Structures are given as structure tokens and as C-alpha cells.
Amino acid sequence: GLTVPIVRPSSQTQKGFRDLVVVAGASDKVFVIDAETGEPFWQKTMQSEGKPAGADSWLCHNGINSTPLIGPAPPGAGGGGQALFVLAGDGKLHTFGLISGEELLPPSPFLPPFGKAWSLNLLNNVVYTTTSQGCNGVKSGVWSIDLGDPAHKVSFFQTGSGAWGRAGPAM
């Protein structure tokens, strides 16, 4: 499956202003596509570490489920500009330059590996997501990672049942 597409209109690139479309998939791949031509602008395959405890299924596919997030580059990412945040199947948060596709920060451990996370949201340099359905033993709850803190502190609030929602937690 693919995530919900997100669009960043009028992005200044080496080819002029372009509308960029971002999608990611359960295969742990992310694609940034030029909306005018339909051609890939850049793409990446996340190199997940470890192996899931459970087999792939329609419920727990052990890859990207959360819609990526476009936002300002976090402190220490260099160069400023727009960043693309992607949560890989192994639970690590990747921060790419939206235009360059280069990793702006080393991948940060965010969630236990191969859980089912929903979309990402950002507020004050803190990225939030939710988990549900107990994939690979990951408890349902709300997660945050503080990219403004050099240690990238992770916090977790367990919920009694699944914190679902394709759009992720509301801020």
C-alpha cells in the first residue's frame, strides 16, 4: 500500500519552480515526484535494521505506513529550507532535504521496530505520531521526538486502545 500523497506547490528547484508530490509505501520506499512531468524527482529506499517478529500481513505490513511530513528543517540540519520527515518500518525517523533528497540528520530511533505508525505531525520542532493494532508487540499510543533537543528525546503516552487516524495526531 501507499501513503496518502502530499503536495508541496511552487518549490524552487534547479529546474525552476515545481509542484512536488510525495508518497511512501510499505516497501519502505519514498518518492518525490515532479507533478508536471510525472517523473521521479528523487526516491529513496530505507535500509531497515533488524527483522520483524511477525510476518507481513494486510494489518501489519512491517514497512512505512505513516504519511511523511514536509516542514522546516530542524536545528542542526544545516542549510535551513524544507525537510521531508519519513518514518521507516524499523522505527527510525529520517530527515531529508525536500529538494536535494540528502539526509540532513542521521536517522533517529523513534518507535520500536515494525509497529504500525500513522501520519506524522510537527509542532515546535517536535514530531508526533500514533501507533495502533499491536503490530510486532508495539503498544498503542502517542509518540513524540524532540528534534530541537540534540539528544532527540522520545516520549510515549500509552492509550487504552488504538490511536488511529490516517492524518495522525491533531495539534
Side-chain angles (χ1 to χ4, degrees), residues 81-165:
Q82 294 285 292
L84 179 66
F85 301 93
V86 180
L87 183 58
D90 67 358
K92 291 186 179 170
L93 183 67
H94 294 259
T95 306
F96 298 105
L98 178 62
I99 304 304
S100 69
E102 294 181 30
E103 285 238 42
L104 300 177
L105 296 171
S108 298
F110 185 11
L111 301 179
F114 308 107
K116 188 171 191 175
W118 296 92
S119 295
L120 305 174
N121 277 318
L122 177 72
L123 179 64
N124 298 328
N125 289 314
V126 178
V127 176
Y128 296 86
T129 192
T130 58
T131 52
S132 67
Q133 298 175 317
C135 297
N136 288 292
V138 176
K139 295 180 179 178
S140 295
V142 179
W143 300 78
S144 67
I145 183 169
D146 187 350
L147 298 178
D149 173 359
H152 295 170
K153 181 181 179 205
V154 173
S155 298
F156 171 67
F157 171 78
Q158 185 173 345
T159 58
S161 62
W164 302 37

Side-chain angles (χ1 to χ4, degrees), residues 22-54:
V22 179
V23 300
S27 61
D28 260 0
K29 292 183 181 182
V30 62
F31 303 89
V32 177
I33 300 163
D34 182 322
E36 183 178 329
T37 65
E39 297 293 320
F41 195 73
W42 60 264
Q43 66 185 53
K44 298 281 182 181
T45 300
M46 307 300 113
Q47 300 300 318
S48 290
E49 295 181 14
K51 296 189 180 216

